[in-house]
Amino acid sequence: MEFVWAGWPGAEVAAEDVEELRELALHAHSAFPIALDATDMDRFYHGFCNSTLWPLFHYFPSYASYSEEDWATYQRVSEQFCEAIVALARPDDEIWIHDYQLLLLPALLRRRLPNASIGFFLHIPFPSFEVFRQLPTRWRRDLLEGVLGADLMGFHTHDYAQHFLHSVFRTLGYEHHLGRINVGGALKRVESFPIGIDFQRFWEAASSQEVAAERARMSQGLGDRQIIFSVDRLDYSKGILHRLRGFEAFLTSHPEYRGKVTFVLLVVPSREEVDRYQRMKQELDELVGQINGACGSVDWVPIVYQYRSASFNELVALYNLASVALITPLRDGMNLVAKEFLASKPQGDGVLILSEMAGAARELGEALQINPNHTREIAEALFDALTMPLEEQERRLRPMQERVRTYDATRWVTTFMAALRRAKERQGRLSTRRLIGNSFEHVVQLHRAAERRVLLLDYDGTLVPLRDRPGDAAPDVELLALLRSLQTPRQAVYVVSGRDHHSLGKWFTGIPIRLIAEHGAWLRDVEGNWSAPKILSQGWKDQLRQLMEQYVERVPGSLLEEKDYSLVWHYRLADAELGAARAKELTDDVQSFTANLDVQVLDGKKAVEIRNSGVTKGVAAREAIEREAPGFILAAGDDATDEDMFRALPQTAISVCVAGFHSNASYRVADHVELRGLLTRLRAG
Ligand code: GDG
């Protein structure tokens, strides 16, 4: 696979140097630098990214700042990225966007490259909705819409993916089905892809001569003491201070270890321009000084503290030398250090102490897992690690090593890219069912060729858009004119609806079409005469009305609709989550109530409906077809009750589902506008 890395080069580049840098980056690193203004970068990177998103997504809401200017810059920089990528990308390129700095980019790119294959991966945790909702409403909507521009969205763990889906539902109202979300007619996928490391690189380096030399040099200084090691960027999310307190507690509860262990604490400078990080650096320096002063002796320094970055060989040597890796983040998307430590241990010795708050904890169950907020747990884990027999060390380490070896960085990339291709293919398969181009003309021709025709059209969501209040969905003038013109001696038009016959009758007064109300309980002929051809009981309604009224009281914004042969609890206007949860409860409640009654319970679009069994749009459609004996049948609908109708049609019929994906219909259209477009063509002949 040929690839180009596009990104900010890490420093401001003078305008006259941009071209040269581009050449160099492309040839040397297959990279495409996106130059940005220094002030923008400051507000973007230190501002919105690292003073708003980073603390919030790592569960430090009190550290988060909310600056309008930072947000505006975040938006502007995202647009600059978008422009650069649009100029760079070729038509069939796949675009993989990484991390919280670019949450808005997928949707921006989608607007410019509608058919592009776009993947997104978040390297940090996605927080629970209660934390995510701290963001101002507008921002959080835009951020989620931004991410949803991608075809595939990846997270390190199942939990983060669930948090994201939950926030999408609570913020934007999009429901998901096993990680698939329908966003404006496109089916998007959300999945977890735990990141891997370049295992072989560490494994081989650990046995190399260079690392052996590095290790020997270090051993000279450290003596034969047992080494506890940690490396992180300086960040409050990494729990460095908690770790030190844990170590101090260990030295206090096990004084016999004084002089026998050394903690090598490597802290890599990071985000030094952000105040919070400067303050933390100070605290860290003080705490290290305090512990070394209190516990150390003339010939022993408990903590060897380095505030710098190390070379790769130095790092591997430290991993290899260490008896214990002490990794204690308070929150961490994954934590690669844990995996790198395992990969640098070909001899099979060493103990990994890992915080349960790291994404890596999900895969590394054999590690000694600790809660970093509990100092004593850290101290006890250190004791257990330092006294663990070699045999047990190996028994725990080897299976983790094998896992990290198998699910390495390459595997991560190929799995993600394969899933992106699958997501795209699926979209492609679904779009072949779109009623456009040739298939559209095919339907028009079939229609023309037939002597007698019947059109079976659902109303809400099919001929008109869904409304928050059922009473607000009256037909517009154009629709009435369209339906009137469709009804001819050769063509029978049926509006097949679950609505009550009073509303339908009122709305279609004087329009000479047939109406089927309450899913088939009522039938109106072209002259406007209603009949109820079935003998149905209504007694059950008295038993259930009271129960359903309780739900209306418990869920603000929900309402009860009573029809002749059904009761419907609508919750479109209620809190989305509460509504969905109570709908399940009601369905369950009603099912146990109605075991002996001749009724059925239907979970519809933001509604739970209870009605007499045997009355379905399927039965109504079959009766209409028998009556009309047509050569051409077209049925259109948008929800589960219309699926009954699609299933009941003969093979030759044309069925069209509006805005859905999982349907028995032979074709689909995006919305009621597209359907009306088709119907307009069916007026002729
Ligand atoms: C984010 C998420 C997620 C560090 N110091 C030196 C050095 N490193 C290397 C380590 C490791 C990497 O940097 C740090 O990775 P982490 O995973 O520990 O943490 P973040 O930088 O916060 O990364 C994190 C990650 O993205 C991947 O998705 O795991 O949760 O926060 O590879 O080895 N390397 C060298 N010298 C150093 O001084 N050579």
Side-chain angles (χ1 to χ4, degrees):
M1 195 196 307
E2 225 191 293
F3 67 88
V4 183
W5 286 104
W8 180 57
E12 196 178 15
V13 186
E16 63 268 24
D17 296 336
V18 168
E19 227 13 77
E20 196 187 333
L21 177 71
R22 233 173 239 174
E23 282 286 303
L24 192 80
L26 198 62
H27 288 110
H29 305 289
S30 198
F32 181 81
I34 300 175
L36 296 165
D37 171 82
T39 346
D40 269 2
M41 207 51 209
D42 185 50
R43 285 202 165 279
F44 168 79
Y45 187 65
H46 298 123
F48 197 74
C49 292
N50 291 326
S51 303
T52 307
L53 293 177
W54 179 275
L56 209 56
F57 280 38
H58 285 86
Y59 293 81
F60 287 87
S62 58
Y63 289 8
S65 62
Y66 303 93
S67 147
E68 284 289 352
E69 253 182 297
D70 288 357
W71 167 241
T73 312
Y74 187 79
Q75 289 174 301
R76 197 169 49 249
V77 169
S78 308
E79 270 155 27
Q80 287 168 6
F81 263 80
C82 176
E83 288 307 322
I85 304 301
V86 169
L88 178 69
R90 293 167 309 185
D92 292 329
D93 282 352
E94 291 163 311
I95 303 170
W96 189 0
I97 299 167
H98 289 263
D99 226 358
Y100 65 104
Q101 296 87 350
L102 297 175
L103 297 173
L104 295 175
L105 188 58
L108 291 173
L109 275 177
R110 175 67 60 209
R111 243 169 270 155
R112 301 288 296 278
L113 308 169
N115 299 318
S117 208
I118 304 178
F120 175 83
F121 188 83
L122 187 72
H123 288 259
I124 63 173
F126 196 95
S128 80
F129 176 65
E130 282 310 317
V131 172
F132 182 71
R133 76 181 324 172
Q134 308 280 325
L135 285 166
T137 318
R138 184 61 215 260
W139 301 4
R140 63 172 192 257
R141 291 187 73 90
D142 287 359
L143 291 169
L144 292 176
E145 293 279 14
V147 175
L148 286 170
D151 300 298
L152 173 66
M153 286 144 273
F155 298 86
H156 281 311
T157 71
H158 178 73
D159 285 352
Y160 306 159
Q162 289 304 314
H163 288 162
F164 172 74
L165 288 166
H166 190 206
S167 287
V168 165
F169 177 59
R170 291 294 304 257
T171 312
L172 305 171
Y174 302 143
E175 286 181 71
H176 77 98
H177 179 71
L178 298 174
R180 295 206 172 84
I181 324 179
N182 174 358
V183 181
L187 200 59
K188 313 285 181 148
R189 186 94 176 88
V190 174
E191 238 180 295
S192 65
F193 302 91
I195 198 171
I197 59 162
D198 187 349
F199 184 90
Q200 283 308 331
R201 188 165 172 242
F202 285 88
W203 184 260
E204 280 160 20
S207 316
S208 73
Q209 281 185 359
E210 292 84 350
V211 167
E214 195 69 63
R215 202 188 131 129
R217 197 177 55 79
M218 288 171 179
S219 296
Q220 268 183 358
L222 294 164
D224 54 4
R225 297 187 177 100
Q226 280 185 287
I227 304 300
I228 301 162
F229 176 56
S230 77
V231 52
D232 338 61
R233 281 183 310 95
L234 177 75
D235 200 298
Y236 46 80
S237 67
K238 301 288 183 184
I240 305 175
L241 300 173
H242 294 66
R243 186 180 313 165
L244 288 175
R245 286 189 201 106
F247 180 59
E248 185 185 26
F250 165 71
L251 292 179
T252 309
S253 56
H254 292 283
E256 72 276 16
Y257 272 86
R258 294 188 183 202
K260 298 212 176 85
V261 290
T262 302
F263 185 176
V264 178
L265 178 74
L266 182 58
V267 179
V268 182
S270 170
R271 305 174 192 169
E272 287 172 306
E273 290 82 348
V274 180
D275 286 352
R276 176 82 50 196
Y277 288 74
Q278 290 168 7
R279 260 178 279 156
M280 194 197 145
K281 166 76 172 48
Q282 247 171 21
E283 271 181 86
L284 178 60
D285 291 353
E286 281 166 20
L287 188 59
V288 170
Q290 194 186 310
I291 299 172
N292 278 345
C295 304
S297 57
V298 180
D299 55 354
W300 174 61
V301 183
I303 304 163
V304 173
Y305 166 44
Q306 304 270 289
Y307 182 64
R308 63 169 176 99
S309 61
S311 72
F312 175 72
N313 282 341
E314 254 183 297
L315 187 68
V316 180
L318 280 164
Y319 283 146
N320 188 258
L321 191 65
S323 306
V324 181
L326 183 58
I327 302 173
T328 57
L330 302 173
R331 288 284 162 180
D332 212 338
M334 172 57 75
N335 193 292
L336 298 179
V337 170
K339 295 187 172 181
E340 292 167 1
F341 170 72
L342 297 168
S344 308
K345 290 288 189 189
Q347 305 90 330
D349 63 321
V351 182
L352 175 63
I353 301 180
L354 179 60
S355 158
E356 60 189 11
M357 305 297 179
R362 300 301 152 111
E363 291 165 83
L364 305 178
E366 295 86 349
L368 295 184
Q369 295 205 359
I370 48 102
N371 180 324
N373 295 308
H374 198 191
T375 307
R376 211 175 72 201
E377 255 180 67
I378 301 180
E380 282 170 4
L382 274 173
F383 180 74
D384 291 347
L386 291 166
T387 52
M388 190 182 284
L390 257 178
E391 219 173 69
E392 187 180 347
Q393 292 182 26
E394 188 156 4
R395 191 170 52 74
R396 287 171 179 266
L397 195 99
R398 291 293 185 207
M400 295 196 276
Q401 234 169 25
E402 279 322 298
R403 226 167 287 141
V404 179
R405 185 201 302 274
T406 312
Y407 293 94
D408 67 355
T410 309
R411 180 82 171 254
W412 178 67
V413 173
T414 46
T415 314
F416 186 92
M417 292 317 280
L420 178 57
R421 271 164 220 157
R422 270 201 310 276
K424 220 46 203 170
E425 269 163 30
R426 203 184 159 87
Q427 283 179 4
R429 276 203 307 278
L430 289 165
S431 69
T432 56
R433 287 178 45 211
R434 275 291 291 276
L435 195 48
I436 42 176
N438 287 345
S439 50
F440 185 97
E441 292 309 320
H442 171 67
V443 170
V444 172
Q445 268 165 26
L446 287 177
H447 175 261
R448 260 199 207 132
E451 257 312 301
R452 280 202 60 76
R453 305 140 182 171
V454 64
L455 309 182
L456 303 160
L457 310 170
D458 166 53
Y459 185 69
D460 294 278
T462 301
L463 290 173
V464 294
L466 290 171
R467 299 277 183 219
D468 283 345
R469 287 182 194 77
D472 291 348
D476 47 279
V477 188
E478 290 93 61
L479 177 63
L480 292 176
L482 175 64
L483 292 175
R484 190 190 280 277
S485 65
L486 281 166
Q487 173 75 38
T488 67
R490 282 169 62 194
Q491 177 156 286
V493 178
Y494 284 77
V495 166
V496 188
S497 171
R499 280 192 177 260
D500 69 277
H501 77 287
H502 301 289
S503 325
L504 282 185
K506 197 167 78 211
W507 285 344
F508 294 100
T509 310
I511 309 291
I513 57 171
R514 291 170 177 80
L515 301 175
I516 291 173
E518 290 196 35
H519 304 101
W522 289 95
L523 181 67
R524 193 197 80 170
D525 61 20
V526 281
E527 274 88 42
N529 306 311
W530 283 103
S531 57
K534 299 186 170 50
I535 301 161
L536 298 169
S537 65
Q538 291 173 312
W540 59 268
K541 280 176 32 189
D542 296 332
Q543 293 180 44
L544 288 181
R545 193 180 297 106
Q546 210 183 359
L547 173 77
M548 293 177 82
E549 272 164 358
Q550 281 169 17
Y551 279 80
V552 176
E553 277 163 29
R554 285 169 65 197
V555 182
S558 71
L559 54 101
L560 184 65
E561 182 190 5
E562 177 154 1
K563 304 187 235 178
D564 294 332
Y565 300 102
S566 75
L567 288 170
V568 195
W569 180 66
H570 294 272
Y571 59 94
R572 186 167 287 276
L573 279 176
D575 174 270
E577 203 170 16
L578 181 66
R582 292 285 174 266
K584 287 197 186 87
E585 206 180 302
L586 173 62
T587 310
D588 194 41
D589 261 7
V590 167
Q591 245 140 16
S592 46
F593 239 91
T594 56
N596 306 323
L597 299 173
D598 198 15
V599 297
Q600 54 185 329
V601 186
L602 272 138
D603 205 351
K605 283 193 175 164
K606 309 267 184 205
V608 177
E609 173 156 13
I610 297 142
R611 60 176 145 92
N612 289 78
S613 5
V615 186
T616 72
K617 288 187 182 178
V619 176
R622 258 201 307 269
E623 287 167 0
I625 292 166
E626 267 168 36
R627 212 174 300 128
E628 309 289 342
F632 174 90
I633 304 163
L634 179 128
D638 75 315
D639 70 12
T641 64
D642 303 309
E643 294 296 317
D644 287 341
M645 176 161 74
F646 299 152
R647 274 192 294 267
L649 300 175
Q651 285 264 313
T652 51
I654 305 293
S655 47
V656 182
C657 112
V658 180
F661 284 99
H662 310 284
S663 171
N664 293 290
S666 36
Y667 294 104
R668 63 185 189 90
V669 292
D671 51 23
H672 70 285
V673 180
E674 260 188 45
L675 182 74
R676 287 192 194 187
L678 170 70
L679 294 176
T680 307
R681 282 290 297 276
L682 304 188
R683 281 186 309 197

